[in-house]
Amino acid sequence: MGVSPGSAYGPVVQVASPVGPPRDEPAAADPAAAAEQAIAGFMQVAESLDAKAAQADASARDILKATAMIARDRSLHRAVTKHLSAGLGPANAIAQSIDEFAEQFAALGGYFAERVTDLRDVGSRAIAAVLGEPAPGVPDFTEPSIVVAEDLAPAETATLDRSLVLGIITRAGGLTSHTAILAAQMGIPAVVQLAGATEIPTGTPVALDGGSGAVTVNPDPAFVEAQRERRARLAEALADVTGPGATADGHHVALLANIGGVHDAELAGAEDLEGVGLFRTEFVFLSADQEPTVEEQTEIYRQVFAPFGDRRVVVRTLDAGADKPLAFADLGAEDNPALGRRGLRLSQARPEILATQLEALAAAAEATGADVRVMAPMVATAAEARWFAEQVRANGLPSSGVMIEVPGAALRAAQVLASVDFGSLGTNDLAQYTMAADRMEGELSELLDPWQPAVLDVIAAAATGAREAGKPLGVCGESAGDPFLALVLVGLGVTSLSMATGKVRAVRLALRSHTLEQCEVLAKEALAAESPEDARQAVRAAAAPEVAELL
């Protein structure tokens, strides 16, 4: 599965596998002493990450510090202590605790589920520390290479030397994994879900295509030269296409960025795009033991809005669930938090959290003069949309919207959008709920493919409802960054596309090479397909040849 466009050729560098606990590890003779040893291992990991953060750029620094906070988490330390008292050895106590927390994060879905890789990386490093083994991760290398791994933790991806990393290949991962998103942001071609990736010997030359997902082992010189020429032509074509997003016949489609923090905003603000289609605000809350104050939130939002001047910034309010990660918003245990009180449902249960956030957003908007538009996650009904719109208006914010990521909301989009100003399709969760497939389950990646015709049917229904309501409908899931799927989405009636900044140019090129009528024809081709691969191939075959050959 190609997740970051571009092509690359070079030798493989294999990443060391995660360190697991010994199967025959004896129970701790002194649980208290073993607990001190295990906690010391976590602290060693945290200090190592802090040291890397001190030498990293701002984007990597934030990721490394967030991962170090996981290693310092006292509830994780307490879980290890409990398992040591129950008769486990230190390495197995760490592994068991990590498994429990990973299960909780995965059940929450969304941002939390995407942090499972961070959590397991911390656990593997802590186990290596208590066993006295070298830490897993990317080895030192000096020749430009293609990094290959089972999966890459964000802490590893963020610290890659971009001058030496030609491309990334992982056996696991997915469209919404942190590796995929970071690779796209850094402009590094990447392929995930490649069976047998970790069996390619170090030093083997490979060619990868981050658009199609193709990986060629030991390619012949003619293939490598053809890929190099194609890469040069693509770079030239992308440089020539600038300005607002539009089809060849002038139909406007706003091209926007997905961002998750201040540094993302600073990078995106300098790019040739029309603003932000998704500002994830979770990072403001995740590391807090207490709810951030209005003043604290206002300052962060002000820093995020400032780089965009009068361009739009679409803000998603807190998208979290009712479980341990948010200590100040614990709604109690749920059998299935992914289908429980998350997103807007949490805001309705704890309206004071939403009120504080909206007050801070309004203050930051006034301070910067930004075009701030606020949307709620996990909206399922028209009544929920009305309730949210009332809260937004009460705080003096001029524009309210809803995320459409629940199939029920998509099917009733005309009613759901009637009381708000816009809608935005979260195709990652929409695919998960439409296909009944956990988005973090790698073995179900085909079901989660946004090219699934059933998912496109649901998107088409939402677009029809949006037209009936006379409201704009965007897409802010990672599918918006696929140039060919972007054509289909526009053909279905989508009016804006928000994606990782590194994908904007390719999408702009695809749009400028097709008329709106051609996009509508491509949409019909995709809807008529039986499988995601059939849909993808049908659209590529029917697309403009000069674009299909380059992207």
Side-chain angles (χ1 to χ4, degrees):
M1 184 184 293
V3 294
S4 181
S7 60
Y9 168 75
V12 162
V13 168
Q14 284 284 356
V15 175
S17 300
V19 178
R23 292 185 178 181
D24 57 353
E25 183 182 37
D30 183 347
E36 290 183 6
Q37 179 192 12
I39 293 170
F42 278 115
M43 299 309 291
Q44 180 178 326
V45 172
E47 290 165 4
S48 172
L49 293 169
D50 284 340
K52 290 183 178 181
Q55 300 177 352
D57 62 25
S59 179
R61 189 181 309 124
D62 291 343
I63 293 167
L64 291 164
K65 286 184 176 179
T67 309
M69 289 178 66
I70 294 175
R72 289 191 171 93
D73 188 88
R74 292 182 181 179
S75 58
L76 183 57
H77 299 172
R78 287 194 294 270
V80 173
T81 301
K82 179 188 72 175
H83 287 302
L84 286 166
S85 298
L88 292 181
N92 278 278
I94 291 171
Q96 183 67 29
S97 301
I98 293 293
D99 285 345
E100 291 172 356
F101 275 74
E103 184 177 347
Q104 292 173 12
F105 275 39
L108 283 168
Y111 185 95
F112 294 103
E114 290 161 6
R115 304 285 73 74
V116 169
T117 302
D118 313 44
L119 186 62
R120 294 203 179 280
D121 180 52
V122 166
S124 177
R125 292 171 184 271
I127 290 171
V130 300
L131 295 178
E133 297 183 11
V138 181
D140 292 332
F141 59 98
T142 57
E143 179 185 6
S145 303
I146 292 174
V147 173
V148 181
E150 171 69 19
D151 200 359
L152 282 175
E156 293 173 327
T157 312
T159 53
L160 293 175
D161 184 339
R162 300 179 198 183
S163 66
L164 293 176
V165 179
L166 301 172
I168 297 172
I169 301 171
T170 65
R171 195 210 61 79
L175 282 170
T176 62
S177 67
H178 209 130
T179 295
I181 294 170
L182 275 174
Q185 289 175 342
M186 294 188 294
I188 299 175
V191 173
V192 302
Q193 289 288 320
L194 181 69
T198 56
E199 298 168 16
I200 303 172
T202 290
T204 303
V206 301
L208 73 84
D209 185 326
S212 68
V215 174
T216 306
V217 180
N218 289 311
D220 61 50
F223 182 96
V224 174
E225 178 59 21
Q227 187 188 66
R228 187 197 65 76
E229 292 178 357
R230 177 185 171 208
R231 188 161 57 242
R233 292 197 308 273
L234 175 59
E236 183 179 357
L238 293 179
D240 288 342
V241 182
T242 60
T247 58
D249 54 341
H251 175 71
H252 179 236
V253 181
L255 298 182
L256 309 163
N258 292 341
I259 64 172
V262 174
H263 183 66
D264 286 352
E266 292 170 347
L267 292 177
E271 292 291 323
D272 179 16
L273 44 78
E274 295 162 71
V276 173
L278 173 63
F279 166 34
R280 307 177 183 94
T281 59
E282 286 72 47
F283 84 101
V284 179
F285 299 88
L286 287 181
S287 60
D289 293 326
Q290 297 180 336
E291 181 188 354
T293 66
V294 170
E295 293 74 21
E296 290 169 338
Q297 291 189 51
T298 299
E299 177 56 23
I300 294 173
Y301 302 146
R302 186 195 62 75
Q303 293 179 49
V304 169
F305 298 162
F308 296 99
D310 59 0
R311 289 177 287 177
R312 79 175 78 171
V313 180
V314 180
V315 179
R316 183 179 68 189
T317 56
L318 177 62
D319 186 13
D323 210 343
K324 291 181 179 179
L326 285 182
F328 57 87
D330 186 359
L331 299 182
E334 293 182 332
D335 290 337
N336 190 345
L339 297 178
R341 291 173 292 179
R342 57 169 291 201
L344 182 67
R345 300 167 188 177
L346 171 63
S347 296
Q348 289 185 312
R350 295 289 304 276
E352 70 279 5
I353 295 176
L354 176 63
T356 299
Q357 185 172 27
L358 292 176
E359 182 181 350
L361 288 168
E366 182 177 2
T368 59
D371 176 10
V372 177
R373 311 176 189 187
V374 186
M375 64 182 178
M378 287 296 292
V379 172
T381 68
E384 290 177 349
R386 281 195 300 274
W387 180 86
F388 180 73
E390 291 168 359
Q391 312 311 307
V392 173
R393 284 195 297 270
N395 281 276
L397 289 158
S399 181
S400 64
V402 296
M403 291 282 291
I404 295 182
E405 47 203 335
V406 176
L411 296 174
R412 301 285 291 179
Q415 292 76 21
V416 170
L417 294 175
S419 57
V420 295
D421 301 297
F422 66 93
S424 186
L425 286 154
T427 52
N428 305 335
D429 268 331
L430 187 63
Q432 171 176 246
Y433 292 128
T434 299
M435 304 305 294
D438 186 341
R439 60 189 280 193
M440 299 306 295
E441 182 55 64
E443 298 301 321
L444 301 179
S445 60
E446 182 180 359
L447 290 175
L448 293 163
D449 191 326
W451 283 91
Q452 276 286 354
V455 176
L456 297 178
D457 282 337
V458 177
I459 292 172
T464 298
R467 281 194 296 271
E468 291 175 5
K471 302 296 172 65
L473 180 69
V475 170
C476 61
E478 289 305 311
S479 60
D482 179 332
F484 293 96
L485 189 49
L487 297 173
V488 172
L489 295 171
V490 169
L492 293 175
V494 166
T495 59
S496 66
L497 299 165
S498 187
M499 64 204 79
T501 55
K503 297 183 177 182
V504 170
R505 292 185 180 185
V507 171
R508 183 186 286 119
L509 174 64
L511 288 175
R512 293 283 182 89
S513 304
H514 297 81
T515 65
L516 177 59
E517 182 179 358
Q518 288 173 322
C519 290
E520 291 169 345
V521 170
L522 295 176
K524 290 178 181 178
E525 292 279 353
L527 290 173
E530 188 175 282
S531 71
E533 188 54 37
D534 288 345
R536 187 181 285 106
Q537 290 182 1
V539 170
R540 288 188 71 99
E546 65 272 18
V547 173
E549 196 276 331
L550 285 177
L551 297 175

